[in-house]
Amino acid sequence: MGDTKQSAAATAVTSVTEGGGPLLPTYGRYPLALVKGEGSRLWDEAGNRYLDFMSGIAVTNLGHVPPKVKEALVGQLDRLWHVSNLFRIPNQEEAAALLTANSFGDAVFFCNSGAEANEAAIKLARRYQQKVAGTGRYEIVTFRNSFHGRTLATLTATGQDKVKDGFAPLPEGFRYVAFNDLAALEEAVTDKTAAIMLEMVQAEGGIHAAERSYVQAIRKLCDEQGILLIVDEVQTGMGRTGKLFAYEHYGIEPDIISLAKGLGSGFPVGAIVAREKLREAFGPGSHGSTFGGTPIATAVVKATVETIVGDKLPERAAEMGEYLLSRLREALAGNETVVDVRGLGLIVGIECKEPVADRITAAQKKGLLVISAGPNVIRLLPNLLVTKEEIDEAVSILAEVTAE
Ligand SMILES: *Cc1c(COP(=O)(O)O)cnc(C)c1O
């Protein structure tokens, strides 16, 4: 027994020296510590410079340490940090007003992450069906290969088995169908269906966009059958796809969207935006969050949304996304290891025949940071202010590492 314990400790020490120290090893970490950032650039401890084409997984949409957001944050740090949601928080009301003025929505709830936003969306949909519409509906239909988060409800909503492995028993009331398959969805929907929840572009699932006619048919199905439509915009929102929100590409309006990643430019914050008819489903005491929408977080949200909308960054993302796609297609034409290059705005995937982990490390060694989306797809998520010169630099490194 004693021996077993000791060898377990020895193994633990080995992984400590490999990075992460006393942290639980929930992430496979690169042996790289980034200590400074500005715009599209990052620097490591040794002073090496990197071109960042992952933006902390679609978080730093305005680049690192964006000046206007920094100013708002520092200003708020001097005034007030926290008072609880038992008081009015003017920053929170103003941030919410910016989100509703620039979307389909009328009512906002602030939380702290994407999983929490989806958790709130699921709870709001069920509570609306049960307390306002009086249908008793509870089931949430989601899609294979989707990703909605790591809490028990949101990992259950996620259509990938690896995310659920070892966490049984899972909450009830979720059902999964193939993405972009209307017949499968029509078959899955019943008089128990409270909501359909989907990503307009499956991001973690490999950069797969929903088809326009499919999304319009889903909206119609929801309207006909009293089902709510939840769009998970945690990764696709905040200008990423070339619109402020990805649903805008589809000519429909959802009932609820969830936001997080790009919403705070790197400050942790999440939100849901919902239609007016859902407002009364979340009365006092029904849902809450101690930290949701603090004066600091919502000062950051305000500055982030003002910058994205005011500087027309979604349009810029659309233009730069087209440039990135066309440059990649040109540079990778004839490369037999590349299966497909696809994307919407500045969320772009390069699907390869083989796993891409080695190519990602090779790019890192050449000073370019990218991420995968599933085993075979290299995912590119530059910030919305990326320049053509930076895109050219990234494309030439990507051409080198995919040729090897
Ligand atoms: C990242 C992500 C989440 C989870 O967000 P967290 O902030 O990590 O909880 C949920 N949905 C989508 C689409 C995401 O990309």
Side-chain angles (χ1 to χ4, degrees):
M1 278 299 277
D3 282 358
T4 319
K5 248 191 174 162
Q6 201 150 32
S7 66
T11 316
V13 169
T14 315
S15 55
V16 166
T17 57
E18 281 171 7
L23 301 174
L24 281 165
T26 49
Y27 285 85
R29 292 183 171 87
Y30 295 113
L32 189 63
L34 299 159
V35 294
K36 185 177 137 64
E38 190 187 326
S40 301
R41 301 290 173 175
L42 285 164
W43 287 265
D44 68 16
E45 290 169 308
N48 298 307
R49 193 176 81 144
Y50 299 87
L51 178 58
D52 182 6
F53 263 49
M54 52 192 281
S55 303
I57 320 188
V59 169
T60 52
N61 282 6
L62 301 179
H64 294 282
V65 198
K68 279 189 210 157
V69 182
K70 179 183 154 184
E71 198 182 306
L73 175 58
V74 171
Q76 188 60 45
L77 283 175
D78 275 338
R79 285 192 296 276
L80 179 70
W81 294 10
H82 185 88
V83 291
S84 96
N85 279 302
L86 297 172
F87 298 94
R88 286 186 49 210
I89 298 175
N91 280 353
Q92 196 180 116
E93 293 170 14
E94 288 162 26
L98 275 172
L99 289 173
T100 56
N102 288 288
S103 74
F104 72 98
D106 308 292
V108 178
F109 172 80
F110 284 105
C111 53
N112 310 284
S113 70
E116 254 187 87
N118 285 331
E119 191 83 29
I122 292 164
K123 285 182 69 179
L124 181 61
R126 282 189 176 172
R127 193 151 161 114
Y128 169 80
Q129 294 287 6
Q130 293 172 30
K131 295 283 188 181
V132 180
T135 64
R137 291 165 175 245
Y138 59 86
E139 205 161 65
I140 312 290
V141 177
T142 68
F143 296 82
R144 302 233 160 79
N145 266 322
S146 59
F147 183 79
H148 298 297
R150 301 284 190 169
T151 61
L152 277 170
T154 59
L155 74 82
T156 304
T158 293
Q160 300 186 48
D161 290 340
K162 66 178 187 207
V163 173
K164 304 176 190 187
D165 192 23
F167 295 118
L170 301 177
E172 284 174 37
F174 292 86
R175 204 184 241 253
Y176 316 91
V177 297
F179 192 54
N180 276 330
D181 180 343
L182 186 61
L185 181 63
E186 283 169 343
E187 208 168 301
V189 160
T190 69
D191 61 2
K192 297 275 172 289
T193 310
I196 295 170
M197 175 154 108
L198 82 164
E199 299 157 89
M200 296 286 102
V201 181
Q202 289 191 333
E204 303 301 314
I207 320 299
H208 296 286
E211 286 155 21
R212 191 179 156 91
S213 60
Y214 175 65
V215 171
Q216 293 186 341
I218 294 177
R219 180 68 267 180
K220 190 156 166 273
L221 181 71
C222 287
D223 290 341
E224 286 166 0
Q225 305 208 18
I227 297 167
L228 297 170
L229 178 58
I230 304 172
V231 177
D232 180 342
E233 296 261 11
V234 170
Q235 188 153 167
T236 54
M238 311 320 295
R240 173 60 51 192
T241 67
K243 300 275 188 194
L244 184 57
F245 304 112
Y247 76 78
E248 296 170 38
H249 290 284
Y250 290 87
I252 58 112
E253 289 188 345
D255 297 297
I256 308 174
I257 56 172
S258 52
L259 301 171
K261 294 197 164 93
L263 183 61
S265 300
F267 194 91
V269 56
I272 56 170
V273 183
R275 275 182 202 259
E276 185 59 35
K277 70 172 186 183
L278 295 162
R279 187 190 297 272
E280 59 180 302
F282 263 0
S286 58
H287 189 59
S289 163
T290 297
F291 289 125
T294 65
I296 301 177
T298 46
V300 168
V301 171
K302 261 190 343 183
T304 299
V305 179
E306 275 166 4
T307 306
I308 294 176
V309 173
D311 295 351
K312 296 195 169 20
L313 298 186
E315 287 90 330
R316 191 192 157 88
E319 191 189 318
M320 288 299 148
E322 264 173 44
Y323 182 73
L324 173 58
L325 267 185
S326 73
R327 287 287 289 106
L328 278 172
R329 286 185 175 137
E330 200 178 288
L332 302 178
N335 183 330
E336 285 179 1
T337 72
V338 173
V339 179
D340 191 23
V341 178
R342 56 178 176 262
L344 188 62
L346 286 172
I347 178 166
V348 169
I350 305 170
E351 184 175 342
C352 298
K353 277 198 182 131
E354 308 273 330
V356 295
D358 291 348
R359 291 178 163 188
I360 287 175
T361 325
Q364 236 174 57
K365 294 206 168 106
K366 292 177 188 282
L368 175 69
L369 304 183
V370 293
I371 183 179
S372 63
N376 290 8
V377 178
I378 300 174
R379 175 172 27 160
L380 310 179
L381 298 160
N383 67 65
L384 311 185
L385 291 155
V386 69
T387 63
K388 286 190 172 172
E389 292 69 31
E390 289 164 344
I391 289 175
D392 291 343
E393 186 182 332
V395 168
S396 90
I397 294 175
L398 289 163
E400 284 171 33
V401 302
T402 50
E404 282 157 11

